[in-house]
Amino acid sequence: MGQRDPILVPEVSQHEVEVRQGFTGTELLLFGAVLDPGGRAVGNQYDIVVVLKGPAEPARLREKGRFLGVWVNAESTDFRSVPSFFAVASSRPIDEIVDEKTAAIYEFGTDYIQLSPSGVIDLDEQARFSAGLVDLKTRQQLYKQDFEGVQISEQVLYQARITLPSNVTTGTYTAETFAVSRGRVIASAQTEVEVQKVGFERQVEEYSQDLSLLYGLLAVMLSVGMGWLAGRLFAMI
């Protein structure tokens, strides 16, 4: 940023989200202000774009195909780094704020998510699998975009609301906020949100990671025991 560029001061309603039994999701309020280096209101017309990303993780996507009249797994591709959650909110439609190149650089939308496919893959095939992955995540409410989701007051304060669904992945989420003027990003800032399991769910997760072999054996024994008990109960009816 140049010395005369404004300062973006972001904040989020909660920096820690606790996932307990019965968690149904939560709503994050991302807000802040755009000030000049002297701490005064910028006064110029600008737009705000907020990008919220969850922890990246590898993913394998399989494509269904018909074989002898039956749907089976056909082609597949692997992605090295896929955001577990991705949401974009902006004050106006993205194509009215920046050009396509700038939108791709800053990932201003689900069409511009920088996925990393593994190995050599045909460009058309890569585009098809990438679109399929985004569509799947969108239907799971893990990818979303709202191009009128940011409200700006007096060209100083802004706010946006993004909902985290119940099936979110735990980990560190990054909320990036961008101030855009005349098609150029004039300021950006980042804050973090920690999504973590608490209580019994966290103990089970830690146990499954630290003592994976014993955890697996106990899970198998529990499944066998429940199956045997269910069989005995049905036999008595």
Side-chain angles (χ1 to χ4, degrees):
M1 296 292 103
Q3 188 174 4
R4 296 182 179 179
D5 286 332
I7 299 172
L8 189 58
V9 185
E11 191 51 85
V12 63
S13 57
Q14 49 183 323
H15 288 277
E16 293 185 1
V17 175
E18 297 182 346
V19 178
R20 301 177 181 270
Q21 184 177 6
F23 178 73
T24 59
T26 188
E27 184 180 70
L28 295 178
L29 174 63
L30 298 96
F31 60 97
V34 181
L35 306 172
D36 70 6
R40 299 178 298 274
V42 175
N44 297 328
Q45 184 73 28
Y46 66 88
D47 288 284
I48 291 291
V49 182
V50 177
V51 180
L52 179 63
K53 293 182 188 178
E57 55 190 11
R60 170 171 291 181
L61 190 68
R62 298 184 183 275
E63 188 176 48
K64 293 289 187 180
R66 291 186 69 88
F67 179 73
L68 299 178
V70 180
W71 287 100
V72 297
N73 290 327
E75 299 180 7
S76 65
T77 190
D78 294 323
F79 295 90
R80 294 188 300 270
S81 180
V82 176
S84 57
F85 181 85
F86 184 92
V88 174
S90 59
S91 52
R92 287 190 297 159
I94 294 298
D95 58 1
E96 298 179 9
I97 299 176
V98 295
D99 57 27
E100 190 171 352
K101 180 180 179 180
T102 303
I105 292 174
Y106 294 101
E107 297 182 284
F108 285 168
T110 56
D111 291 338
Y112 305 107
I113 300 177
Q114 297 175 9
L115 302 172
S116 303
S118 300
V120 179
I121 185 172
D122 179 76
L123 292 179
D124 292 336
E125 184 178 345
Q126 176 182 337
R128 187 175 77 253
F129 274 101
S130 297
L133 177 62
V134 170
D135 177 67
L136 176 63
K137 293 283 190 179
T138 300
R139 286 187 279 111
Q140 294 173 341
Q141 298 185 349
L142 294 173
Y143 285 7
K144 55 187 69 179
Q145 50 190 10
D146 184 357
F147 295 141
E148 294 183 353
V150 177
Q151 287 77 46
I152 301 176
S153 303
E154 304 296 333
Q155 286 298 301
V156 178
L157 305 176
Y158 71 88
Q159 67 172 11
R161 298 180 184 274
I162 296 179
T163 301
L164 294 179
S166 59
N167 56 336
V168 290
T169 300
T170 57
T172 302
Y173 286 60
T174 58
E176 298 179 276
T177 306
F178 302 88
V180 184
S181 178
R182 298 179 181 178
R184 184 176 69 92
V185 175
I186 59 175
S188 64
Q190 178 178 302
T191 186
E192 294 182 346
V193 177
E194 194 70 26
V195 179
Q196 57 184 353
K197 292 183 179 179
V198 295
F200 179 73
E201 289 78 8
R202 182 173 184 177
Q203 292 178 355
V204 172
E205 182 181 27
E206 292 177 349
Y207 189 56
S208 65
Q209 295 175 353
D210 298 338
L211 301 170
S212 56
L213 178 59
L214 183 57
Y215 176 82
L217 292 174
L218 288 175
V220 172
M221 292 173 61
L222 180 61
S223 298
V224 173
M226 293 298 292
W228 177 84
L229 180 60
R232 296 293 296 177
L233 289 176
F234 276 108
M236 295 173 60
I237 298 177

